Amino acid sequence: MDNPDIEDQPNNPSGTDSDTEMTSAPAADQQMDDHTDEHARSNGANEKANVSSAKKTPDPIVSAPGSWQIPPGALAANNAAATTNTKTSAPPVAAPTVMSKAAERIEKVEQRIREDQYDVDAWTILINETQSTGDLQVIRGVYERVLKVFPTSVGCYFSSCCVGNVKALGGTACRTPISGVVGVSNMIRVVPLARHWLGYLELELKHSNFNEVENLFTRCLKTVLSVDLWKFYLNYIRRINNTDDGKLESDTRVVIEKAYDYVLNNVGIDKDSGPIWSDYIFFLKNAETSNTWEEQRKMDSMRRIYQRAVSIPLNNVEHLWKEYDQWENGLNRLTAKNFLRERSSAYMTARTALHEMKAFSDIINKNVMATPTTWSESEVQQLDAWKQYISWETGNPLQLEDNNQVMERVVYAYQQALIYQRFYPEIWYGFANYYIEVDKPDRALAILSTGMEVLPSSLLLHFAYAQLCEVQKKGPEGRKTFDTLLEHLIEKINVLEKEANDEIEELTKTAAEERANMDLGDDIDGELRERLRSREKEIDKEKNKIKSEKDFKVAVLARSCSQVWITYMQYVRRSEGIKSARVIFSKARKFAHVTYHVFVASALMEFYNSKEPIVAGKIFELGLKSFGDDPDFVEQYLDFLIQLNDDNNTRALFERALAVMPNEQAASIWQKFANYEHKYGDMTGIEKVERRWREAFPSESKRKRYVLYFWYMTKTYCHCLLNKSYPPIARQSKAAPPIHVPTIVQQDQAPIVSDKRGKDRKGNRTLLDAYHPERYPRPDFNLWQAHTPTADQAPAASAPDTSGAPAPTGQAAHSQIPVSQQPPTGNLAKMDIDPSGGQSRWNQPASGALPEAIAYFLSQLPPAETFDGPIINAASFLDIVMSTAIPPPPRPPQIDDRPMRQSPPPAAGPGGSFRGGMGRGGLGRGRRPRDEFEDNNAPHMRGMGPNRPPEYDLFRQRQAKRRRDDQY
């Protein structure tokens, strides 16, 4: 090849440079990777194609073997045979019907592409139809069109097409149900598609167009960092420079090593690049050496590659570590320990990071095409997965000390995300923002510029680019950004209006043709006239639907244009001054779809920046001519006048707005007028406005209107004015059912019996009935017998008074009862007081009724909806209560009157000592004698509750004294 160097593409979105130049270096001794071999066909297929029937569709060109896959001698023989067959055989005569059908299929596919340029299946059918013609220039044109729409198409995208529609695609047939297709067989073909860059490269290699191949590599390698694409490049370099005998010269081997280094510098950190690392190591291992210097260089190169590979979370990092361990130990076991120990921590970190990375890679789907988003659930999940993966890479999971390596990994993560998520502006913005954080604004500008080309209507990317241009003192570029964005948005508005008008004209034309075909005479019967009227109503309904959809889309774009105009004015004011901003405002107000926001922004800019309230007032008056019936604009104007304390103009604006504004839109203006009078007017003006407001809205709630008068600096109603009423939010929500407080059943009334649905005869749910009786076993309450004590029952016998003091009588006795134990008055005075402890004995209520005391207590409580105090977390409160250590109350000293148990003395050991404590004839070695405190406070003797020993235990004291005497 004459030109071995391939330069980087100028508009490189990654913004990264490589120290190693990419070379189309010679030589290769390995076959093409799997994605090329699966399309290979035998050489005899070309010979059979010349004698086959004219109606038979030839195989796709991409599926045929490339010229670099055929040895030079065999390639020359094939070319010569093809020339001979062409001269001897008669030219095939194509049937006109076949050509017409092919042209018809192509036209249908072209129509699908015109309707939706991101229809992947349509593009695939078009590519295969053009390949069947064999015209290289036509095929090139189709590939160029495809790559213009899908510039990052390198992955394997699987598409399902009907067999009847796709005959030339090839693939494995399977039966899968097709939803939404009527009258079509369920037999479909699942074929790998959308490998457009690789297919284009294979096409040029088949025709030995090496210059075109190099140009394609220049366009796609640096912009699409795909491992498959770089494998293709590497195998191409090795294959195109291979020799007949398979031996490589030293210069050729050096060039291939540089090619490997170049590939690994670009995609070597990808977890799927493990095979490239293994191939490089195998290539170095098989290198022949003739002297000691070459052998040492070979070992250094292999050690360098091994150490780099085991520090990266590759899919085969564990296999590479085992190979490295065996290789180092095979060289020298003494030095192997040092080398392995140095890289062991990096390998462990890479292996751990690989397991964490799989959590993201299992979710991320790379077998998709980058198409405009529809914000479906799967698309949002993929976007979140990519964002989480990028955030994980930003956190430096490999614990790299070099910031450049961290930046390299984060940048590569963003570049991978943009291959599949290029239509999401937040990915572009995050990428540019990361470059700004690492102090590389030039690369951030390049990323935003590329993002604006992909998403020409993204306000986020254009505003970020303009702001960065302002920081970098590039004012003209910022202005150009706003102008370009406005042109694109206005063009979209014009396209929407044109499409809507075309559809309406088509409907009108169709209706006129239908009416003309009816041959309507002077005499039209009633049935036909009714049909014509219903048809006209349907057409009008369709027209109104088209207009409403168009108006909604145009309103969204108009609001976007207004936001652009406002940001444009603010940008120019900061960079050039207020006069330039006024020029931008004069252009904006002439825009056909301008909104009131532009007038408000310009007026407030004049008021706050230029300190010109008169100019601001003129701008508001100018906007009032166009938006006088818009309550939002009128409210903004009123706020401005109230801030200026211009009472006369404020009241005049109220009157002018209410005079021209429809009554259904003026509710907020009336409310603002009434509030203004209540705050700053007199009582006469208040009554006048209230009367007019009631006349305009007679159905308005008086209480709500009255509360709104005192609605000051808050977004919620004043609950103190509503007393115990519900706030409006609670009114809108589902109100809680009222608390049913049943009373006790009188003797002359029959007890309330619950039915099977858990409700009494009055329709109220009883207290003891289960909400889910089928889940939990419950007793049969119908069999319960209610017990109602009579008044003549004698109270329980009281405990004898052992204090010896005379019992108080009369008023004195009542005053000595604690307040909490005194009987209440009224209906609560029916309870009986137990004289022994002052405890109350209430008459037991019937089944399903609350005790009267609890019923009275609940009736005095306010409704739960009126509580506006702090809410206590019950779980936290219970945790505090359960974890609080409460000491037991002190006990008075007691003497145990029970007889002491005669327990035998403890057995003595062989040395005259007790078991477990002493040695021979004295104290045990290394132990100190027990004292009285340890005996009395041993862990097994301390306790709480009934297990606690008495304070003065004569038996334990006697045993302790005996043990002390025996020690001496």
Side-chain angles (χ1 to χ4, degrees):
M1 297 171 58
D2 299 335
N3 187 14
D5 297 333
I6 301 179
E7 300 178 355
D8 299 341
Q9 189 173 355
N11 55 351
N12 177 18
S14 62
T16 57
D17 299 331
S18 177
D19 297 332
T20 306
E21 293 294 334
M22 179 178 66
T23 58
S24 50
D29 51 11
Q30 293 183 355
Q31 295 182 354
M32 198 63 183
D33 52 350
D34 296 338
H35 65 74
T36 304
D37 291 338
E38 66 182 4
H39 293 290
R41 300 290 186 270
S42 60
N43 296 335
N46 295 330
E47 299 177 0
K48 294 180 181 180
N50 295 327
V51 295
S52 61
S53 174
K55 297 183 180 180
K56 182 178 179 181
T57 304
D59 294 336
I61 295 177
V62 178
S63 301
S67 60
W68 49 271
Q69 293 177 296
I70 306 175
L75 179 63
N78 281 345
N79 294 335
T83 305
T84 304
N85 292 334
T86 303
K87 293 179 180 180
T88 57
S89 61
V93 179
T97 57
V98 175
M99 297 301 296
S100 61
K101 289 182 179 180
E104 184 179 357
R105 288 196 300 269
I106 293 177
E107 181 60 28
K108 290 182 179 179
V109 172
E110 290 286 357
Q111 180 62 29
R112 289 176 55 182
I113 293 174
R114 284 191 293 268
E115 294 175 356
D116 182 12
Q117 64 174 350
Y118 296 101
D119 190 345
V120 182
D121 295 336
W123 283 111
T124 305
I125 297 173
L126 181 61
I127 290 175
N128 286 274
E129 290 292 340
T130 54
Q131 284 176 349
S132 63
T133 62
D135 191 345
L136 181 60
Q137 296 298 329
V138 175
I139 299 173
R140 283 178 178 174
V142 173
Y143 269 116
E144 291 293 338
R145 292 170 56 192
V146 171
L147 293 175
K148 186 177 180 180
V149 179
F150 304 104
T152 60
S153 173
V154 292
C156 188
Y157 170 77
F158 290 91
S159 175
S160 299
C161 303
C162 297
V163 174
N165 294 335
V166 185
K167 295 183 179 180
L169 297 183
T172 304
C174 63
R175 290 192 178 272
T176 305
I178 305 176
S179 61
V181 180
V182 180
V184 181
S185 173
N186 286 341
M187 178 72 74
I188 62 173
R189 292 177 185 263
V190 179
V191 292
L193 307 173
R195 302 170 64 230
H196 299 129
W197 281 112
L198 296 177
Y200 199 2
L201 288 167
E202 290 175 2
L203 174 68
E204 297 295 346
L205 282 175
K206 176 180 172 56
H207 293 81
S208 301
N209 297 326
F210 301 116
N211 292 331
E212 297 295 334
V213 171
E214 292 184 7
N215 293 333
L216 291 177
F217 278 136
T218 304
R219 292 169 54 186
C220 66
L221 281 180
K222 296 293 289 184
T223 56
V224 185
L225 295 179
S226 172
V227 176
D228 294 336
L229 192 60
W230 285 86
K231 281 182 182 179
F232 192 97
Y233 161 73
L234 189 59
N235 289 320
Y236 161 76
I237 293 297
R238 296 190 60 182
R239 176 69 64 179
I240 205 66
N241 293 282
N242 193 16
T243 57
D244 296 336
D245 55 359
K247 295 182 180 180
L248 299 178
E249 300 294 336
S250 59
D251 296 340
T252 304
R253 184 171 293 275
V254 171
V255 172
I256 294 178
E257 289 182 7
K258 290 183 179 181
Y260 269 110
D261 290 333
Y262 177 74
V263 172
L264 293 176
N265 287 335
N266 285 275
V267 296
I269 60 177
D270 197 302
K271 70 179 184 63
D272 297 328
S273 63
I276 301 178
W277 290 95
S278 299
D279 293 343
Y280 192 15
I281 293 172
F282 182 79
F283 175 77
L284 295 175
K285 187 182 296 185
N286 293 336
E288 298 179 358
T289 57
S290 58
N291 50 47
T292 307
W293 181 82
E294 292 181 356
E295 185 68 23
Q296 184 64 34
R297 180 180 175 275
K298 173 183 175 180
M299 289 190 301
D300 293 341
S301 299
M302 291 186 64
R303 182 176 289 111
R304 175 175 57 85
I305 298 302
Y306 266 126
Q307 291 180 353
R308 287 179 59 190
V310 298
S311 302
I312 302 173
L314 304 172
N315 286 332
N316 60 344
V317 64
E318 296 182 1
H319 179 70
L320 291 175
W321 176 258
K322 292 178 181 178
E323 287 186 357
Y324 180 48
D325 190 349
Q326 295 176 0
W327 182 76
E328 287 286 0
N329 284 283
L331 294 178
N332 191 337
R333 290 185 176 272
L334 297 178
T335 60
K337 292 183 179 181
N338 295 330
F339 287 117
L340 294 174
R341 184 172 59 252
E342 290 176 358
R343 309 305 302 178
S344 176
S345 60
Y347 160 70
M348 295 299 294
T349 304
R351 190 178 67 174
T352 303
L354 177 63
H355 292 298
E356 296 177 359
M357 189 186 298
K358 287 183 178 179
F360 305 103
S361 61
D362 294 343
I363 302 176
I364 293 175
N365 183 17
K366 293 187 177 181
N367 296 325
V368 295
M369 294 289 295
T371 57
T373 176
T374 58
W375 296 105
S376 62
E377 184 178 358
S378 59
E379 291 177 347
V380 174
Q381 291 177 356
Q382 289 296 308
L383 177 61
D384 293 339
W386 277 109
K387 291 166 65 175
Q388 292 176 9
Y389 169 62
I390 293 172
S391 177
W392 179 77
E393 287 286 1
T394 307
N396 190 13
L398 296 179
Q399 302 176 5
L400 301 174
E401 297 180 356
D402 189 0
N403 294 330
N404 292 329
Q405 295 181 1
V406 178
M407 183 183 69
E408 181 183 3
R409 292 195 62 87
V410 175
V411 169
Y412 186 80
Y414 273 112
Q415 291 172 340
Q416 290 295 303
L418 290 176
I419 293 178
Y420 309 98
Q421 306 287 322
R422 64 193 308 261
F423 289 99
Y424 291 90
E426 50 191 306
I427 301 293
W428 293 97
Y429 177 76
F431 195 5
N433 193 45
Y434 177 77
Y435 269 136
I436 294 175
E437 291 177 357
V438 297
D439 197 15
K440 294 185 180 298
D442 294 337
R443 295 186 179 181
L445 285 173
I447 292 298
L448 291 174
S449 177
T450 307
M452 289 188 300
E453 294 177 0
V454 177
L455 300 170
S457 60
S458 173
L459 273 63
L460 174 64
L461 299 182
H462 285 78
F463 290 171
Y465 185 84
Q467 183 178 2
L468 192 57
C469 289
E470 184 178 0
V471 174
Q472 297 293 321
K473 306 299 181 181
K474 299 178 180 179
E477 293 186 13
R479 292 179 64 101
K480 184 179 179 181
T481 302
F482 288 108
D483 294 334
T484 305
L485 179 59
L486 287 171
E487 290 176 1
H488 184 77
L489 293 176
I490 294 173
E491 182 181 359
K492 292 183 69 174
I493 293 176
N494 296 333
V495 170
L496 288 175
E497 291 180 345
K498 184 177 182 301
E499 291 178 353
N501 294 332
D502 293 342
E503 292 181 5
I504 293 174
E505 290 179 1
E506 185 68 21
L507 287 175
T508 305
K509 183 178 179 181
T510 303
E513 292 177 356
E514 291 179 358
R515 189 178 182 88
N517 294 331
M518 290 183 180
D519 294 333
L520 300 177
D522 297 335
D523 297 334
I524 302 177
D525 56 354
E527 183 179 357
L528 182 58
R529 184 180 292 105
E530 186 65 24
R531 288 172 53 189
L532 290 175
R533 290 177 180 176
S534 61
R535 180 57 180 166
E536 290 177 358
K537 290 181 180 179
E538 291 178 359
I539 294 175
D540 293 339
K541 185 176 180 180
E542 293 179 1
K543 290 181 179 179
N544 294 331
K545 182 179 179 181
I546 294 173
K547 290 180 180 179
S548 61
E549 292 179 356
K550 184 261 296 183
D551 293 340
F552 175 77
K553 295 179 180 179
V554 169
V556 174
L557 292 175
R559 182 67 183 89
S560 300
C561 291
S562 298
Q563 184 62 48
V564 176
W565 285 115
I566 293 171
T567 309
Y568 196 1
M569 287 190 299
Q570 295 171 352
Y571 173 83
V572 173
R573 183 195 60 79
R574 291 192 302 266
S575 59
E576 301 179 13
I578 191 64
K579 293 184 179 180
S580 299
R582 291 171 181 171
V583 174
I584 300 300
F585 170 69
S586 63
K587 294 180 180 180
R589 69 186 184 88
K590 297 177 183 178
F591 177 52
H593 301 279
V594 65
T595 61
Y596 74 89
H597 305 84
V598 176
F599 291 87
V600 175
S602 178
L604 295 180
M605 183 187 301
E606 294 287 349
F607 177 69
Y608 287 106
N609 295 112
S610 302
K611 306 298 186 294
E612 294 287 347
I614 299 177
V615 178
K618 292 181 179 179
I619 295 176
F620 271 115
E621 286 293 332
L622 185 63
L624 191 64
K625 296 179 181 178
S626 302
F627 307 101
D629 57 346
D630 193 332
D632 295 331
F633 175 77
V634 175
E635 288 185 13
Q636 294 289 336
Y637 192 7
L638 288 171
D639 291 337
F640 172 73
L641 294 177
I642 293 173
Q643 185 178 4
L644 292 180
N645 196 18
D646 193 348
D647 183 70
N648 295 330
N649 288 328
T650 302
R651 297 178 186 276
L653 180 59
F654 274 122
E655 298 296 339
R656 290 165 59 190
L658 294 174
V660 298
M661 193 175 298
N663 206 21
E664 58 273 8
Q665 298 180 4
S668 59
I669 304 299
W670 279 111
Q671 177 182 338
K672 199 175 190 66
F673 196 5
N675 290 335
Y676 179 78
E677 290 291 348
H678 269 268
K679 292 177 183 178
Y680 312 113
D682 52 8
M683 198 61 196
T684 304
I686 293 173
E687 293 178 352
K688 183 179 179 180
V689 172
E690 286 181 0
R691 184 176 62 257
R692 295 173 59 189
W693 192 5
R694 286 194 300 268
E695 293 174 357
F697 297 92
S699 60
E700 189 74 25
S701 175
K702 296 181 179 179
R703 185 180 63 175
K704 179 180 177 181
R705 187 184 296 115
Y706 185 77
V707 171
L708 289 176
Y709 296 154
F710 303 95
W711 184 9
Y712 187 75
M713 296 185 67
T714 180
K715 292 292 181 71
T716 57
Y717 288 88
C718 186
H719 292 183
C720 59
L721 293 176
L722 297 176
N723 200 2
K724 294 184 179 181
S725 301
Y726 297 114
I729 298 178
R731 289 181 181 274
Q732 295 175 4
S733 62
K734 184 177 180 180
I739 299 177
H740 176 64
V741 183
T743 58
I744 61 175
V745 181
Q746 302 295 333
Q747 294 183 0
D748 56 349
Q749 293 180 354
I752 298 177
V753 181
S754 301
D755 58 7
K756 296 182 180 180
R757 294 174 296 178
K759 295 184 179 181
D760 56 20
R761 294 172 180 172
K762 296 183 178 180
N764 300 318
R765 183 180 293 276
T766 57
L767 180 65
L768 298 179
D769 285 336
Y771 280 89
H772 300 283
E774 68 279 358
R775 295 186 181 179
Y776 311 104
R778 302 283 292 181
D780 189 0
F781 298 115
N782 298 328
L783 301 179
W784 281 24
Q785 296 181 1
H787 172 68
T788 305
T790 58
D792 56 355
Q793 290 181 347
S798 58
D801 189 1
T802 58
S803 61
T809 60
Q811 185 67 22
H814 186 271
S815 60
Q816 291 184 6
I817 299 177
V819 177
S820 60
Q821 298 180 2
Q822 292 181 5
T825 59
N827 294 331
L828 301 182
K830 297 179 181 180
M831 69 178 182
D832 299 331
I833 303 299
D834 189 354
S836 61
Q839 298 180 357
S840 61
R841 295 186 294 104
W842 289 87
N843 295 333
Q844 298 295 331
S847 175
L850 290 174
E852 186 178 4
I854 299 178
Y856 177 77
F857 175 73
L858 292 178
S859 64
Q860 297 300 316
L861 292 178
E865 292 79 5
T866 59
F867 178 76
D868 57 354
I871 299 176
I872 301 175
N873 189 351
S876 301
F877 178 75
L878 290 178
D879 291 340
I880 295 174
V881 172
M882 297 299 294
S883 61
T884 303
I886 302 176
R891 281 175 161 241
Q894 298 178 359
I895 299 177
D896 193 359
D897 296 337
R898 294 174 297 177
M900 293 183 296
R901 292 176 295 178
Q902 299 295 333
S903 59
S913 61
F914 296 100
R915 292 181 181 177
M918 302 297 173
R920 293 183 179 181
L923 298 174
R925 179 180 299 177
R927 294 197 177 191
R928 60 183 179 85
R930 302 166 66 93
D931 54 6
E932 182 180 359
F933 179 80
E934 293 180 353
D935 292 335
N936 295 335
N937 296 275
H940 66 278
M941 297 180 63
R942 297 192 296 268
M944 295 180 64
N947 297 327
R948 184 180 182 89
E951 298 293 338
Y952 300 98
D953 194 344
L954 298 179
F955 175 78
R956 286 179 173 82
Q957 292 180 4
R958 193 178 295 115
Q959 292 295 332
K961 185 176 183 300
R962 182 179 299 174
R963 285 195 295 271
R964 287 196 302 272
D965 295 339
D966 292 341
Q967 293 177 5
Y968 301 98

